[in-house]
Amino acid sequence: MRVRDLPLSAAVIDHFESRGIEELYPPQAAAVEAGVCEGRRLVAAVPTASGKTFVATLAMLTADGPGLYIVPLRALAREKYETFSALPGVSVGISTGDFDERATELGDHDIVVATSEKVDSAIRNGADWIADLACVVVDEVHLVGSEGRGPTLEVTLATLGRRAPGVQIVALSATVANPDELADWLDAGLVQSTWRPVDLRTGVYAAGRVGFDSEASKTPRAAGDDGTERDVSVPGDPADATDATDALVTEAVDDGGQALAFVRSRREAETLAERLAAADLGSSPEVADEIRGLDGTETGRRLADCVEGGVAFHHAGLRSAHRVAVERAFRDRELKAICATPTLAAGVNVPARRVVVRDQKRYTGSGMEWLPTLEVHQMCGRAGRPHLDPYGEAVLVGDETTRDELWERYVEAGPERVDSKLADPNALRTHVLSVVASDFAASREGVLDVLDATFFAHGTPTSELGGVVDTAIADLVEMGMIVDEDGLAATDLGAQVSRQYVTPETGARVVDGLRTATGMATVTGLTALEIVCDTPDMQDTYLGNRERADMYQFAQDHADEFTTRMGETEDFEGWLTAVKTARVLYEWTEGASAEDLVERFRIGPGDLESRIERAEWLLGAADAIASVVDADAAVPFRERRARL
DNA sequence: AGCGCCCCAATCTAGACAGCATGTC
DNA sequence: CTAGATTGGGGCGCT
């Protein structure tokens, strides 16, 4: 099937053909046969980089009206925004928390790219552009199975069907065990394929040898490759995972390729990058200068030093500007290798010839746990750059004792199932409130009726949700966010909480803080920050053992400014970490430099950045909540927010 | 006394979405 | 319930 035979404008066909895209990939052709161009709903469960974006483009351009492209990450939103903007004669808008356009203008575009939470928020607040949508593409739908954000996605898709009846839904999924159930739920056709534009070989390394899967026999082999097993010369100890990783990365780079190494922790990513950079895999002085120019942070300097040697590290402790610079430089082949934590597994397109997964376990608070198959598959899926590499190679580093288990778990095993997490009481409380506050339902039955369109209800009779919904309603009534007389209705507080997009628990914490503050003699900026940081919507900041005593002292010194009495908390540890976050942000608003804070509180520059951003949102929300709460305390939320 | 090394024990551990309404150099 | 890398300090021996 050829691009020129598709029902697209001549300009768009030229656009694709000028980029060498003439023939459809098999999964794309299957999508066309399944009717993507005729408004048919579709679930496409195919590997990354097998042309999902093209299928999405087809659906949105052939739909009879505007299209919405939902992504899970801001970085992805930006990437897709740029991709779609390159299409001739297509107007594209973007809506994420950090980059927003006026809602009225969003309706003017042919395509809008947005994060799932932003769409949820738009639906809750009755944005009118939602009702006009003809096509909605959901990227990474398998995330409905993720604990925190999955319920939001499924409720969004369920309510979207109400606001825009008859929309074409095109859901793009990683390969999972039960894509048919997703398709059933969305009343969509299913296209399933494992086809990739570049072959992928997955192998397990142990004791100086890599054993590859049977895919290898289908591909032309590198010189010296004698079959499905290959020796790797490891300078150092072949039994040492880091020495082996070093050798595997170096080998790929010497061979003219690029490599991606995945490790467990941030620190290990940095250590490995420094080690590889010391061996000088290449040099990128311009990129190093670019990174050095971003900030005067210790982390930034170390990153720039590594980049001098052609290697970068990548994790969430980096500022987003650092991450963007590293990703761009790697894509433009100005870097030879990236050592990363799992940040890079999902997200923006950063393909490499070889992927080395050194660590397959992760600390979870109660010990080490194997990474989910899907996550490791996503890491491995980064191997193979179309048009640049003859094939992609992914190597899991193990030893004789783990070889077989790695093989079974990640090479042979199929992917995991996706299952709804909506039954979680916290998730349900949030969504029951939003359904009531946005007038989707005015009774218990109404709520159940809305939830009937969720993935959860598809697998389980809604009656099973009845009990959990009842407790959610009771909780919300007790929190003063809903009244249950003669039907359900949101109170002013409940409406504000839903509109501000904070969880009911956050709203309750703010209300509680305001009440306590009313009786306090000293209410300061620190008070405002303490309330907001003690909220479940604020991410907590790691409190090291060595800092604990100092933080305890700080908490005591400022006890009269806090809405929490030190002796009366159930979760003192949790509160103390909130105090740390509040203290960092307080110093920031009082003029401390990022360099100073990062050093003194042992946090990454990216951690500081994200906390500032979040505090900005939460202080604004707290201020809005304060305006509907009957409390006289003047907590300076707005003043602190202005200082951020 | 000063320095270097080794061993044991303490320390530490991935990621990341979201509001709203204007004045402003 | 399920770990493993890194760091820091103390002790010890050598010069």
Side-chain angles (χ1 to χ4, degrees):
Chain A
M1 192 178 290
R2 292 180 308 170
V3 170
R4 62 174 57 232
D5 299 328
L6 296 169
L8 296 170
S9 72
V12 171
I13 289 174
D14 285 347
H15 167 84
F16 285 121
E17 290 192 336
S18 71
R19 283 157 193 243
I21 302 170
E22 292 177 0
E23 193 71 21
L24 296 201
Y25 290 156
Q28 294 168 340
V32 171
E33 274 155 28
V36 241
C37 297
E38 287 106 52
R40 294 282 307 278
R41 290 186 168 197
L42 193 72
V43 169
V46 297
T48 342
S50 64
K52 285 193 279 201
T53 307
F54 183 79
V55 172
T57 310
L58 272 185
M60 294 191 291
L61 292 186
T62 57
D64 190 22
L68 169 64
Y69 193 95
I70 304 177
V71 291
L73 302 171
R74 294 168 176 179
L76 267 177
R78 234 159 292 150
E79 185 183 67
K80 296 302 174 194
Y81 175 76
E82 276 159 30
T83 308
F84 297 139
S85 294
L87 294 166
V90 177
S91 140
V92 187
I94 184 167
S95 178
T96 65
D98 59 338
F99 193 87
D100 212 1
E101 273 178 67
R102 262 163 225 286
T104 47
E105 289 166 17
L106 281 174
D108 300 336
H109 297 291
D110 301 313
I111 294 176
V112 171
V113 183
T115 50
S116 41
E117 283 74 10
K118 198 69 183 185
V119 176
D120 183 29
S121 168
I123 293 172
R124 285 191 198 185
N125 297 320
D128 45 7
W129 57 274
I130 294 283
D132 303 328
L133 293 171
C135 177
V136 173
V137 178
V138 196
D139 203 356
E140 319 277 2
V141 237
H142 56 272
L143 289 175
V144 291
S146 78
E147 213 120 321
R149 301 173 62 197
T152 305
L153 223 205
E154 61 171 306
V155 171
T156 299
L157 290 178
T159 47
L160 210 108
R162 299 212 155 193
R163 286 265 199 250
V167 250
Q168 175 186 16
I169 291 180
V170 174
L172 311 174
S173 174
T175 40
V176 294
N178 56 336
D180 50 317
E181 292 174 31
L182 288 171
D184 262 9
W185 164 46
L186 294 169
D187 193 22
L190 174 64
V191 168
Q192 218 180 336
S193 165
T194 54
W195 185 91
R196 287 175 42 105
V198 186
D199 272 323
L200 173 65
R201 309 166 168 189
T202 306
V204 174
Y205 169 95
R209 290 181 77 74
V210 185
F212 283 101
D213 59 355
S214 52
E215 293 288 326
S217 57
K218 289 190 265 173
T219 350
R221 292 193 193 107
D225 181 357
D226 61 349
T228 57
E229 243 188 43
R230 195 165 78 211
D231 285 322
V232 183
S233 78
V234 180
D237 181 3
D240 181 88
T242 304
D243 285 351
T245 304
D246 186 332
L248 287 161
V249 167
T250 307
E251 189 183 75
V253 171
D254 287 346
D255 207 34
Q258 291 172 287
L260 230 45
F262 286 102
V263 296
R264 187 175 32 196
S265 72
R266 296 174 177 188
R267 201 171 45 188
E268 285 164 277
E270 297 187 10
T271 309
L272 181 60
E274 279 165 352
R275 168 174 169 166
L276 287 165
D280 202 14
L281 292 182
S283 85
S284 322
E286 297 89 1
V287 185
D289 286 345
E290 179 191 347
I291 287 168
R292 240 176 233 117
L294 290 173
D295 70 5
T297 270
E298 166 76 16
T299 311
R301 274 196 299 277
R302 293 181 64 192
L303 179 59
D305 289 346
C306 285
V307 167
E308 298 266 8
V311 188
F313 52 83
H314 187 286
H315 56 65
L318 295 183
R319 296 182 48 195
S320 52
H322 284 141
R323 285 191 258 175
V324 168
V326 168
E327 291 154 7
R328 200 228 88 236
F330 191 79
R331 258 197 311 271
D332 294 345
R333 305 166 75 186
E334 290 165 27
L335 286 173
K336 299 296 184 190
I338 299 180
C339 305
T341 55
T343 3
L344 225 53
V348 297
N349 186 31
V350 184
R353 175 176 305 176
R354 180 179 276 176
V355 168
V356 183
V357 184
R358 195 196 69 184
D359 302 326
Q360 301 88 20
K361 285 184 169 179
R362 176 161 56 217
Y363 177 79
T364 58
S366 49
M368 302 299 280
E369 238 169 44
W370 289 103
L371 295 178
T373 311
L374 181 64
E375 206 171 317
V376 172
H377 282 177
Q378 275 179 321
M379 292 178 189
C380 295
R382 305 253 98 144
R385 300 164 302 175
H387 315 301
L388 284 176
D389 297 322
Y391 54 85
E393 271 184 346
V395 180
L396 308 172
V397 178
D399 56 40
E400 283 111 325
T401 61
T402 56
R403 171 170 36 205
D404 294 345
E405 176 147 28
L406 288 177
W407 190 267
E408 281 166 29
R409 194 177 275 276
Y410 298 119
V411 184
E412 285 181 336
E416 288 124 344
R417 285 181 50 85
V418 178
D419 286 300
S420 172
K421 301 293 184 294
L422 186 60
D424 173 62
N426 285 312
L428 208 57
R429 204 152 42 221
T430 298
H431 293 293
V432 166
L433 176 60
S434 96
V435 160
V436 172
S438 51
D439 292 330
F440 274 118
S443 65
R444 176 182 185 274
E445 288 65 37
V447 170
L448 288 173
D449 186 45
V450 172
L451 296 182
D452 197 44
T454 59
F455 186 48
F456 181 91
H458 179 77
T460 327
T462 325
S463 56
E464 285 204 16
L465 266 186
V468 207
V469 166
D470 287 337
T471 32
I473 292 173
D475 291 349
L476 289 164
V477 167
E478 192 177 335
M479 292 166 140
M481 296 186 190
I482 273 185
V483 282
D484 186 5
E485 312 159 342
D486 208 27
L488 300 174
T491 62
D492 285 347
L493 172 63
Q496 194 64 267
V497 163
S498 175
R499 195 175 323 141
Q500 296 296 324
Y501 210 80
V502 295
T503 61
E505 293 70 36
T506 291
R509 175 64 183 93
V510 170
V511 169
D512 186 56
L514 284 164
R515 300 253 153 86
T516 311
T518 307
M520 286 170 35
T522 333
V523 174
T524 65
L526 192 57
T527 314
L529 287 166
E530 180 239 355
I531 293 174
V532 146
C533 292
D534 193 31
T535 255
D537 278 311
M538 175 56 86
Q539 69 218 122
D540 32 56
T541 307
Y542 188 81
L543 181 63
N545 265 341
R546 278 167 293 191
E547 301 169 279
R548 182 165 282 106
D550 178 50
M551 207 55 65
Y552 187 86
Q553 188 60 50
F554 178 84
Q556 263 182 339
D557 293 347
H558 296 271
D560 57 336
E561 294 171 66
F562 292 139
T563 61
T564 305
R565 296 280 150 263
M566 285 178 75
E568 296 166 18
T569 25
E570 293 163 30
D571 179 17
F572 183 74
E573 282 299 301
W575 179 71
L576 208 55
T577 64
V579 167
K580 174 172 176 180
T581 315
R583 183 180 180 185
V584 172
L585 290 170
Y586 184 77
E587 295 204 17
W588 171 257
T589 54
E590 292 295 315
S593 71
E595 290 78 15
D596 179 38
L597 293 173
V598 160
E599 154 124 17
R600 283 173 42 226
F601 294 100
R602 314 168 126 244
I603 56 176
D607 299 314
L608 214 211
E609 194 174 64
S610 72
R611 272 151 192 89
I612 290 168
E613 204 173 70
R614 215 179 273 220
E616 212 174 322
W617 160 47
L618 290 172
L619 286 168
D623 185 50
I625 289 168
S627 69
V628 297
V629 168
D630 180 27
D632 298 327
V635 182
F637 294 119
R638 197 180 311 189
E639 179 263 356
R640 226 62 243 178
R641 187 175 176 282
R643 282 169 176 266
L644 280 171

